[in-house]
Amino acid sequence: MRTLLCFSIFCSFAAAKLSYNGFKVFRIENKGSAEELEQSLSSINSILLSKDPNSEAFDIAVPPDQLQAAHQLGFELNTVIDDLGTVLENEGPFLTYIATEKTQGVAADLPPLSYFDSYHPYDEHIQFLTDLQAAFPNNSDTFSLGPSVEGRELPGIHLWGGTGKGVKPAIVWHGTAHAREWISAPTVEYITYKVIEEYQGEDSEIVSILDNYDFYILPIVNPDGFVYTHESERLWRKNRQTRDSQTCIGTDVNRNWPSHWNVSGGSSPDPCSNTYRGEAPGDTPEIQALVAHMLDLANGPGIKAYIDWHSYGKLILLPYGYNCTALPDNYERQMSVGTGVASAIASVNGLEFRVGPTCTNLYQTAGSSTDWAFDVAGAEFSWLIELRPTAAEGGFVIPPENILPSGAEHWAGVKYMFSQL
């Protein structure tokens, strides 16, 4: 979810896959205006990876031909990653996922957990959801929203319990709104896998939660951007929308939700910024599809809980993002449950997640999913979770060995959340 300044070479169609060899990641301890710092960094075509709201520190990636210029800006640059290209090599190679065998009229086995040993391209994520459904045929459907800008589907799976489908309050999970945040999709998929596995194993808590709520899960809601990170630019963030008279490509779909869309400071009106909000609220096809789906749920059975999964930073973020003094009317309830979720996460691998409103615990955001889901769709719980790790541990680029631990810690977290619904 982190803010990213746009490389000038990133703002148009890429002719070849970008190499990050020689890119260095620095941390800057900011002593002045954040806006002035970001303006200075834009002059050297650096990538702003993250901003720490507590220390005012910035993590930036700098290409090799800009290193001298970066040092000449006068900031103290502390090296976090010496060669981003080397870190990227640790993400692969990808292991090919083989679809599970299926027999007409017979439930298939659950997919092998080896799926989570690797990252996967878009088509294999769709196949994995198909295979989850085949293993849970009487209590699930796959569905798709969209199409995206480039005609792809936003793939999803709907789970329900023994009381029938489509009539109970909804739990909605989204992943990969920001294309480069690869860890989010398999984390969401692992949690989905565990819901099915433990329901089939007759775990009383999971049977109860699935009998009382319907789950609508979309691990990749920015499919075009996600595909682009595989084929062209690993650190691409936005969708791939083109607009008349604009040379820069893409809209930040998590600044395009039609709620507090153009609040000053929460997004950018500049098409070349990676927090570009679009020309009008909800003018991306991806957000139009997601809004329509969630409004159908809100106007029908209602939405109990919404989680938008991102990386990185180890945060559980509540409304609001658009205003640093506004709080949701059930703030104490959301904070209480969020604190319990953070404790459950920490019990697995020791990672500590901070809980609190988005604006004060990360930075100001306008047109965000969680503000919209709370204010418009009426979700009682509306969270954005920033997954592991820190910049020093790879940031957006972390080895696949993190997938199962991330899944396990957030499975513990959502199980605690289930106990509080």
Side-chain angles (χ1 to χ4, degrees):
M1 178 179 174
R2 305 297 180 170
T3 304
L4 179 65
L5 296 181
C6 185
F7 259 128
S8 60
I9 60 172
F10 290 1
C11 295
S12 59
F13 291 103
K17 189 170 185 178
L18 177 68
S19 170
Y20 292 90
N21 290 338
F23 278 60
K24 293 185 182 296
V25 176
F26 298 112
R27 169 156 283 208
I28 300 174
E29 299 294 338
N30 186 32
K31 304 302 182 182
S33 163
E35 184 176 350
E36 290 176 1
L37 173 59
E38 292 185 26
Q39 184 62 39
S40 296
L41 295 177
S42 68
S43 70
I44 62 165
N45 293 329
S46 62
I47 308 174
L48 180 56
L49 297 176
S50 72
K51 175 181 178 296
D52 187 324
N54 292 322
S55 67
E56 294 298 320
F58 287 73
D59 296 326
I60 63 170
V62 179
D65 64 349
Q66 297 289 302
L67 291 172
Q68 183 176 355
H71 285 285
Q72 290 174 345
L73 290 175
F75 303 117
E76 182 180 348
L77 304 180
N78 299 307
T79 302
V80 177
I81 297 176
D82 189 61
D83 188 337
L84 188 56
T86 300
V87 175
L88 276 164
E89 292 175 2
N90 294 330
E91 287 188 318
F94 289 178
L95 304 177
T96 301
Y97 174 65
I98 306 299
T100 57
E101 294 185 5
K102 302 170 186 67
T103 302
Q104 185 69 31
V106 178
D109 292 334
L110 277 166
L113 281 173
S114 59
Y115 173 83
F116 299 103
D117 292 340
S118 170
Y119 293 108
H120 297 276
Y122 169 72
D123 289 344
E124 292 186 7
H125 285 278
I126 294 178
Q127 185 62 58
F128 182 78
L129 293 183
T130 300
D131 291 350
L132 284 180
Q133 193 283 324
F136 201 42
N138 298 322
N139 297 85
S140 69
D141 286 325
T142 55
F143 64 94
S144 64
L145 306 180
S148 68
V149 170
E150 296 178 343
R152 295 184 177 88
E153 62 184 274
L154 284 60
I157 187 167
H158 173 198
L159 310 179
W160 63 86
T163 56
K165 67 175 182 175
V167 296
K168 301 180 299 298
I171 293 174
V172 181
W173 295 338
H174 291 168
T176 327
H178 292 149
R180 62 193 178 180
E181 297 168 9
W182 283 8
I183 190 69
S184 64
T187 298
V188 172
E189 290 164 345
Y190 178 85
I191 298 168
T192 307
Y193 177 102
K194 293 298 292 183
V195 169
I196 295 172
E197 180 185 55
E198 296 204 6
Y199 186 89
Q200 291 178 328
E202 300 182 352
D203 177 275
S204 59
E205 182 180 9
I206 301 307
V207 169
S208 176
I209 200 74
L210 205 52
D211 283 349
N212 285 282
Y213 298 97
D214 278 40
F215 286 69
Y216 300 85
I217 302 161
L218 294 102
I220 301 174
V221 300
N222 179 7
D224 300 342
F226 182 68
V227 169
Y228 192 72
T229 63
H230 286 259
E231 296 179 349
S232 297
E233 296 177 17
R234 172 63 185 86
L235 292 180
W236 184 263
R237 168 185 169 104
K238 300 186 287 185
N239 75 357
R240 294 295 298 165
Q241 190 166 5
T242 59
R243 297 174 186 270
D244 293 342
S245 75
Q246 294 181 6
T247 58
C248 292
I249 295 170
T251 301
D252 183 345
V253 295
N254 203 35
R255 299 296 185 274
N256 190 242
W257 288 81
S259 176
H260 306 290
W261 169 77
N262 62 346
V263 173
S264 177
S267 62
S268 176
D270 179 2
C272 296
S273 168
N274 270 303
T275 56
Y276 176 53
R277 62 186 177 227
E279 294 180 351
D283 70 349
T284 59
E286 295 86 359
I287 294 305
Q288 290 167 8
L290 294 173
V291 163
H293 181 242
M294 289 184 68
L295 285 178
D296 282 345
L297 297 175
N299 294 328
I303 299 175
K304 182 68 172 181
Y306 171 73
I307 301 179
D308 192 3
W309 305 83
H310 289 249
S311 72
Y312 59 93
K314 296 182 288 187
L315 299 165
I316 299 172
L317 299 172
L318 319 179
Y320 287 103
Y322 79 94
N323 185 304
C324 287
T325 59
L327 294 174
D329 56 13
N330 66 345
Y331 171 71
E332 296 296 336
R333 168 103 164 110
Q334 292 207 58
M335 276 296 296
S336 175
V337 175
T339 300
V341 168
S343 295
I345 290 170
S347 72
V348 178
N349 296 310
L351 272 65
E352 295 185 359
F353 278 63
R354 191 168 70 248
V355 184
T358 301
C359 193
T360 53
N361 283 268
L362 185 60
Y363 45 65
Q364 188 179 20
T365 60
S368 68
S369 61
T370 46
D371 287 1
W372 183 91
F374 186 78
D375 278 349
V376 181
E380 179 180 349
F381 297 91
S382 185
W383 297 354
L384 188 149
I385 294 182
E386 295 276 11
L387 299 166
R388 58 168 64 206
T390 64
E393 297 164 325
F396 300 113
V397 181
I398 55 176
E401 290 80 9
N402 284 261
I403 295 172
L404 279 171
S406 178
E409 63 206 16
H410 287 277
W411 173 237
V414 298
K415 284 186 73 175
Y416 177 84
M417 185 182 202
F418 294 163
S419 73
Q420 301 301 304
L421 297 182

